[in-house]
Amino acid sequence: MKTSQPTTESGSKRPPKKFKKYMKQKLAFSFVLVAAALFVLVIVIFRIIQVKGEDYSKTVLTQQNYSSTVIPFQRGSITDRNGTILAASEQVYNVILDPAVILTGSDDDIEATLTALVDVFGYDRSDLETILEEKSESSYVRYERYLSEEEKEAFETYEEEYESNKENTASILGVWFESEYQRVYPYSTLACTALGFSSSDSSQGNWGIEQYYNDYLTGTDGREYGYMNSDGIVERTTQEAEDGNTVVSTLDYTIQSVVEEAIAEYLEDMSAENIGVLVMDPDTAEILAMATDSVYDLNNPTDLSWCYTEEEIEEMTEEETSDALNQMWRNFTISDTYEPGSAAKTFTIAAALEEGLVDSGDTFVCDGGQQVADYYIECSHTHGTITLEQALGYSCNDAMMQLASKMGKHIFSAYQTLFGLGSTTGIDLPGEATGLLYSEDDMGSVDLATNAFGQNFTATMVQMAAAYCSILNGGTYYQPHIVKEILSADGEVVEEIGSTAVRQTVSTSTVEILKAGLQLAVEDANGTATLAQIDGYTVGGKTGTAEKYPRGNDEYVMSFIGFTTVEDPQVLVYVVIDNPQSEDEDYSVSVKEAVRLEQKIMSAILDYMNITPDVKDETETTEDETTVTESGGSSTTETTVAETDENGESVESGESEDNGDADEGPYEDEVPEGGYMEDGDPGPPGAESEESESGESESETESIDEEDAGE
């Protein structure tokens, strides 16, 4: 069958329409435009899925009876070197009320729910009723935090027994428990200034190891998503939490406990502005104990009652409270600077030995002081002719000034830097101070002379201890550290933090000479630290006393840095007491305070550390009498023994008890008169002073009389 062509009104056939060229072009353009738009839309959708897909999924789920629960991470633990837990995170529970659900129940259901909360937890019924009234449409009210597992189980047991009792027709509704982790410090105050503490949600550490290693300790929250699909089935997706790592510190729980107990006992009879103690392994520069007199409860770090009375706390302004807390949390051993005094003399002698300007056995004449520029700088005593080792053991300022003059400010400044003074050590703790030194260009002759015996520059405890470790281990300066390794939540080693050798400070020949001088300080009758003797052990060390700025206030920083054994140093104990005071006005406060505290700590830890005694009893017989003595330890005799001093001259030592009461040798009762003397001028012109981080001004250039008062 043929189709007829369209005709015109006159009956003639109409010619077919043609698809003109411009129409084809227009159609093609439209097609390309639509295709391009679709392509762009696909890209946009792809990017949305890739970047914000999870957020959009949550939005969709929210519209489908969506629920989302956070699965909290567990902050990593901090342990001592032997695995004793010093900080941990315990799982706790929050009581969550759902008023919207509770109020959907009958009056009996509401009554049963309120009764359960009151009976199990002792909550106030009227308070619960107020919550239901004021937040009737809420589905989430965190009513109480940090319940234990036992408390949670007690409620669940009550609920189960109630529901299983057939006589009860009502139900307990709208009460559930949300889990989280609470930071717990099992030993409360132990190592508080070294550990620091974390925020309530465990996301941020504050001070100490908690802050420095926060990225390792912090984990990642997980989440559980759930929604009701069209079939009424709950679909759930769980993203597990990632727990934090465990930080294994170099601290030793036992040694730390000994140190803190010794400080507490000291403070029963004495007081001080600050006390700091470091115990270190000289071979590795590991911190075995780090303590101060500042004590606070890590489980309640904002409780100021450890340091202030209730009345004082109530009278504090908000700013004063903040300052008081920061001072309480502050770690004196790394954050505060002070003039180290004679403990720095070891570095002066080390520099002269390394530069070949002096050698073992060289002698010095101490006539009581030195004229330096316009000032006469006195020594604490007139020592006479002494050897290099005796100059260190007897703590002679005169000899130090002579050495400094020989080496000049260029060499002296270089060795201050070499020993790590004037810069941070890099210890793995926040808040480390640097101290202040004279630059070579700014150092004058008087500054050089006073710096030589430890005055007019400042240092931190950790700087001094690390520098001494480099001497005791044979000359290698290790970066001090307080963490040894990082473990995963499964106990696998994530990172080992070994000892980092930074540089060589001195040669082994210099080390032996220095150790001999430091041993004289403890074991020679004229030494400045005979109270540091320990029966059966050779002990070396150096005292330090520096008058605080402003001068003339009779305030001093007393210190002692000791080690044993001399031949093979295995432990170093550094004690600093800032302005020690006694309630007994007749009691003479001196550097003995630091020496006694160090000796007490050292004696208590030697057996625990399995450090073998290195001195044997020897029977020495003279022509007239016999006595038993211990080289390197104390001796108690009832007779007079003929001895010779380092110069070969005969001296007599009488009865010595209590581990060497004659702490300061024959100079014990002499009071140094020294200082700068020029027509009554009290001292050289002062320069700028350092404002310590605690707000205390500490002089860097104001000189004082030396050496160590009481030494």
Side-chain angles (χ1 to χ4, degrees), residues 86-203:
L86 305 178
S89 293
E90 293 183 351
Q91 189 168 32
V92 291
Y93 300 89
N94 303 325
V95 177
I96 308 300
L97 303 181
D98 189 339
V101 169
I102 295 174
L103 294 174
T104 59
S106 64
D107 290 343
D108 289 341
D109 293 336
I110 296 174
E111 176 62 23
T113 302
L114 294 179
T115 300
L117 291 169
V118 171
D119 289 351
V120 177
F121 298 127
Y123 294 156
D124 183 90
R125 180 182 291 270
S126 61
D127 184 58
L128 293 171
E129 291 172 346
T130 300
I131 292 292
L132 295 181
E133 181 181 349
E134 294 180 352
K135 300 184 178 181
S136 59
E137 297 182 359
S138 175
S139 294
Y140 182 93
V141 176
R142 182 188 286 166
Y143 192 76
E144 186 180 9
R145 300 185 69 182
Y146 306 142
L147 270 69
S148 66
E149 177 76 25
E150 291 75 17
E151 291 173 308
K152 168 179 171 288
E153 289 179 353
F155 185 86
E156 291 173 339
T157 300
Y158 180 100
E159 184 178 21
E160 182 179 346
E161 291 176 352
Y162 183 88
E163 299 286 351
S164 62
N165 189 339
K166 295 181 179 179
E167 295 181 1
N168 296 323
T169 57
S171 298
I172 297 174
L173 304 174
V175 179
W176 52 284
F177 296 90
E178 174 186 71
S179 67
E180 66 172 308
Y181 289 94
Q182 181 182 23
R183 200 61 166 169
V184 176
Y185 300 89
Y187 303 102
S188 182
T189 62
L190 186 83
C192 55
T193 53
L195 291 176
F197 54 92
S198 74
S199 58
S200 59
D201 62 357
S202 296
S203 64

Side-chain angles (χ1 to χ4, degrees), residues 88 102 136 172 183 214 222 234 259 263 328 382 386 431 514 549 580:
I102 295 174
S136 59
I172 297 174
R183 200 61 166 169
N214 187 67
V234 176
V259 170
I263 293 175
M328 183 175 69
T382 300
I386 54 176
L514 294 175
Y549 182 84

Side-chain angles (χ1 to χ4, degrees), residues 544-555:
T545 306
E547 187 177 18
K548 295 180 65 174
Y549 182 84
R551 315 301 190 190
N553 288 343
D554 199 28
E555 295 184 353

Side-chain angles (χ1 to χ4, degrees), residues 500-555:
T500 303
V502 180
R503 56 185 172 272
Q504 194 75 12
T505 55
V506 291
S507 60
T508 54
S509 59
T510 293
V511 167
E512 295 308 312
I513 296 171
L514 294 175
K515 288 197 299 185
L518 295 170
Q519 186 174 6
L520 282 178
V522 176
E523 299 181 358
D524 188 283
N526 294 339
T528 61
T530 57
L531 278 177
Q533 295 175 18
I534 299 175
D535 287 343
Y537 294 87
T538 54
V539 178
K542 187 71 195 76
T543 50
T545 306
E547 187 177 18
K548 295 180 65 174
Y549 182 84
R551 315 301 190 190
N553 288 343
D554 199 28
E555 295 184 353

